[in-house]
Every structure is written in structure tokens, then in C-alpha cells.
Amino acid sequence: MSTLERARRHLKAHPMTLDAALAAGVLACMVAGSFVDPRSKHDVSWILRTPDPLSLVLIVLAAATLVFRRRAPMTVLALTGGFALVEAVTGDPRAPVAMSAVIALYTVASTTDRPTTWRVGLLTMTVLTGASMLAGPLPWYAQENLAIFAWTGIGATAGDAVRSRRAFVHAIRERAERAERTREEEARRRVAEERLRIARDLHDVVAHHIALVNVQAGVAAHVMDKRPDQAKEALAHVREASRSALNELRATVGLLRQSGDPEAPTEPAPGLDRLDELVGTFRSAGLHVEVARADNGIDLPAAVGLAAYRVIQEALTNVQKHAGTEAKAEVSIVRVGPNIEITVLDNGAGEDHDPQTAGGHGLLGMRERVTALRGTLTTGPRYGGGFRVHAILPIKTRTAVTGKPGEPV
């Protein structure tokens, strides 16, 4: 760090030191000005003179007062203005005590608002200039009197300009900081939404396929000794379900890749066009599923198709896990006006059949998916036993979906 930089930081940390240095400089200028007279009786020249003792005392007092200009700017202006007023009325030859009042007026203007600057500036100019013209030893039109008016006006104007620039810079810095905070909050919000979406996808994939693997593995273990052919078939289903789980996990985790990573899988997200495949996996696991469709083969948006697929997948997974071995499930897909309605019913009677009391995040994930598309989801036990899942999804979503086709929302 250079010497100049260290000095600048020290003065910034100790402003009173800077004010003391300024007061010393002003004192030197006023003392030098008090010994020089720009007027001569015969021609325009600079001559030396001897100032009055009172003028020297006023100079020293005015300069010492400037040390406290930041702590009490109005008080310092009043004191220096009073010293300058006394000098303007009594000094002959006159000493430049008004220089301290100009510095004090600049400080007031740079630290207060514009109306205060106008009032205080006009009052200072009027009092000092009027007293010099009316009660001073010089003629009212003397250049020294006009100089007091000009320099006080310059001090007030310069201080107001510095205050305006400081306020402008502060506003720009505050706006930039606020914009940065907004960007950071938006980035955190998007990260949280993306994390929630990925967690929801992982839950749907893992819960579905692991439930199938668990059922088929139990079947294989049960019939391994007596019916090896059926055990082999169950193990084949386990292998197929695990392969499907790995593929979907790979596609989901691929969304987390960075821009420089290898290209992520481009397989479109599942929709109702893969409903038969989904139902087939449950049927192969021993669950009796009936499907009724009255959606007229409508081509749904990718986000709606994915949400419908996941709702059916999660509902059937809950039936497989909680409804018991003899449970049956019914899936109906109906288009009603601008909406498509998904209903999954079962007649299960398992002890932990109600997914709402069995723990987990399946129903919560379904509700979040449907709500994100401005749809509605109702779930609950059926009268006489079983469970019902009913989702209403708008075919034309009102959410701002800007991703690529096939990307989950």
C-alpha cells in the first residue's frame, strides 16, 4: 500500500484530522491575505500592510472554529459569520476573515437539504454583504464588498452540488445493491424450486420401481423352492423394474449436469401415451388394474401429460404398497370441457392402506404437481373401504411454462 493510500485511509477514518489540516490551511491563507493590500493610492499594485490586532485575533478564532465544522456545522457557521461580520464593520484595512464563513457555509450546504441551503445561504450573503456596504469603512460599491457576496454564493452553490452528487451516487449504489439482492433472492428461489422438482421426480421414480422390486422379490423368495419357473419370472420382472428405475434416475440426474458436461439424455418425459406400459408393470407385479379412457386421444401438453402420468403412477404405487394382496384398482381418464380428470380407485383393506397416515411424501408430491398447473387434487378413503385419488388438470395451463417440450415443471 502506497504512502498516499495510507494517508487517505487515515484521514477517512479520522475526519477531525482532515478538518484540522483544512483549518490550518485557511489560517495560513487568511494571515497572508491580512498582510497584503491590493490597493495603492497612486496605482494598482500589491503592498504590504500591518493588520490590526483585533483582525489577527478574529482570524485565529475563525480558523480554530473550523476544526469542528463536521460536528456542528450550523454553530460553526454562526460563529465564523459573526467573526466575519465584526471584521467587515471594524477592520480597516480589512482582513479576509470572511473566508472561514465561506468554508462553514459550504459545509452546511453539503450536509443539509436544499431548502435549508437556500435559507441559510441567502441570510449569510445578505447579512455580511449588507453590513459591509452599509456599516463598513469602504464605499458600498468597493470590490471587497462585492467579493463577499460572490464568495458566499459560490460556497453555498458548491456545497449544494457536492451534496447532490453524493446523494446521486448513494442512490445508484443502493439501487445496484438492491438489484443484486433481488438477483440473489431470485436465484435462491429458482434453486429451491428446482431442488423440490428434482426431489419430487426422484420420489416418484424410486417409490414406484422399488415397490415393484419389493413385491416381485417377495414372490420369488416365496416360490423359489416349489415353483422355480415362477420365481425366475418374478426375478425377470425385478430386473426389468430395476432397469427402468436406473434409466429414469439417469434422466433425472442428467438435469443436474453443468454446461460443460456430456449431453444429458434427450428422451422425452413420460405421458399418458405410456400409460399401457405403466399399467403393465403393475399387472406383472400381481395388481389387478382396469383402465377406462374417455379423453378422445387428445394430445396433452408435456407438463400436463407428465403430471397425469405421475399421479397415476403414485396412486397405483400406494395401492401396491398399502391396499393388500387382493386389492383391485380402477383408473379412469375423462376429458370434461377444458380439463382432463384423472381418477384412481381401489377396494383395498390393508391395515396401513391410508397413505395419508402411512407417512411418506407421495400425496404431497402429487398435490404440488397438480397445484403447479393450476389444477386441483382430492384424496381420501372411500365409503365402504378403499381409497380415492381424483385430479383435475387444465389442458391449457395458465402457468408460464418456458422450458423445452418434455421437461417437467
Side-chain angles (χ1 to χ4, degrees), residues 16 19-20 22-24 26-27 30 57-69 76 79-80 83 100:
M16 200 166 184
D19 292 338
L22 176 64
V26 173
L27 175 63
M30 289 191 297
V57 172
L58 293 175
I59 288 173
V60 173
L61 292 176
T65 305
L66 290 178
V67 177
F68 307 97
R69 69 186 186 96
V76 170
L79 292 176
T80 55
F83 297 147
S100 61

Side-chain angles (χ1 to χ4, degrees), residues 5 30 34 49 76 96 114 168 171 184 195 201 208 226 228 249 281 290 293 298 345 366 369 392:
E5 182 65 18
M30 289 191 297
S34 65
R49 66 180 182 183
V76 170
R114 180 161 295 171
F168 177 72
E184 293 177 356
R195 184 182 296 118
D201 284 343
H208 165 59
K226 297 181 180 180
L249 285 174
T281 61
E290 295 182 359
R293 299 189 62 170
I298 185 173
L345 306 174
M366 280 196 290
R369 284 186 182 278
I392 301 177

Side-chain angles (χ1 to χ4, degrees), residues 62-141:
T65 305
L66 290 178
V67 177
F68 307 97
R69 69 186 186 96
R70 294 178 193 263
R71 295 188 176 183
M74 285 293 188
T75 303
V76 170
L77 176 61
L79 292 176
T80 55
F83 297 147
L85 182 61
V86 173
E87 174 62 20
V89 174
T90 62
D92 188 21
R94 186 181 297 169
V97 181
M99 182 184 296
S100 61
V102 172
I103 301 298
L105 181 59
Y106 164 85
T107 304
V108 171
S110 64
T111 55
T112 58
D113 52 17
R114 180 161 295 171
T116 302
T117 299
W118 275 96
R119 290 194 296 268
V120 174
L122 288 176
L123 178 62
T124 303
M125 286 188 293
T126 302
V127 171
L128 293 183
T129 305
S132 300
M133 288 181 174
L134 299 178
L138 300 177
W140 69 268
Y141 53 83

Side-chain angles (χ1 to χ4, degrees), residues 296-366:
N296 302 324
I298 185 173
D299 188 14
L300 297 176
V304 178
L306 175 63
Y309 181 91
R310 294 302 189 195
V311 166
I312 297 173
Q313 182 186 53
E314 179 62 28
L316 292 179
T317 299
N318 288 335
V319 175
Q320 183 76 48
K321 292 167 58 177
H322 306 295
T325 57
E326 302 298 327
K328 296 181 181 180
E330 299 177 4
V331 178
S332 66
I333 305 171
V334 182
R335 177 177 180 179
V336 181
N339 303 320
I340 186 167
E341 297 188 9
I342 311 294
T343 306
V344 180
L345 306 174
D346 69 78
N347 62 347
E351 296 181 358
D352 60 342
H353 177 40
D354 190 349
Q356 298 180 112
T357 60
H361 301 85
L363 294 181
L364 178 61
M366 280 196 290

Side-chain angles (χ1 to χ4, degrees), residues 80-296:
T80 55
F83 297 147
L85 182 61
V86 173
E87 174 62 20
V89 174
T90 62
D92 188 21
R94 186 181 297 169
V97 181
M99 182 184 296
S100 61
V102 172
I103 301 298
L105 181 59
Y106 164 85
T107 304
V108 171
S110 64
T111 55
T112 58
D113 52 17
R114 180 161 295 171
T116 302
T117 299
W118 275 96
R119 290 194 296 268
V120 174
L122 288 176
L123 178 62
T124 303
M125 286 188 293
T126 302
V127 171
L128 293 183
T129 305
S132 300
M133 288 181 174
L134 299 178
L138 300 177
W140 69 268
Y141 53 83
Q143 62 180 0
E144 286 86 346
N145 297 334
L146 299 179
I148 292 176
F149 178 83
W151 281 108
T152 50
I154 291 173
T157 304
D160 183 71
V162 169
R163 180 197 55 77
S164 299
R165 181 183 180 279
R166 189 183 299 134
F168 177 72
V169 172
H170 177 72
I172 292 178
R173 184 180 295 111
E174 188 178 72
R175 191 180 302 115
E177 293 175 353
R178 185 162 57 255
E180 183 66 23
R181 288 194 301 269
T182 302
R183 284 194 295 270
E184 293 177 356
E185 292 172 358
E186 179 67 15
R188 285 194 295 268
R189 184 186 65 81
R190 291 186 178 183
V191 168
E193 290 180 352
E194 185 68 9
R195 184 182 296 118
L196 178 62
R197 185 187 62 77
I198 293 174
R200 197 164 50 217
D201 284 343
L202 288 175
H203 172 272
D204 291 341
V205 171
V206 173
H208 165 59
H209 291 291
I210 296 303
L212 296 181
V213 168
N214 179 63
V215 171
Q216 295 294 343
V219 172
H222 182 69
V223 300
M224 179 67 71
D225 296 332
K226 297 181 180 180
R227 301 184 61 181
D229 54 337
Q230 188 174 352
K232 184 182 296 185
E233 182 181 354
L235 292 176
H237 289 310
V238 169
R239 182 176 60 183
E240 183 64 26
S242 62
R243 182 186 296 114
S244 299
L246 288 175
N247 290 336
E248 292 200 36
L249 285 174
R250 188 179 298 113
T252 302
V253 175
L255 298 175
L256 300 177
R257 296 181 185 272
Q258 302 296 327
S259 58
D261 291 341
E263 186 177 357
T266 57
E267 180 181 358
L272 291 183
D273 55 335
R274 294 176 55 182
L275 179 61
D276 293 338
E277 178 184 345
L278 174 65
V279 172
T281 61
F282 285 99
R283 287 172 176 167
S284 64
L287 178 64
H288 181 76
V289 183
E290 295 182 359
V291 179
R293 299 189 62 170
D295 54 345
N296 302 324

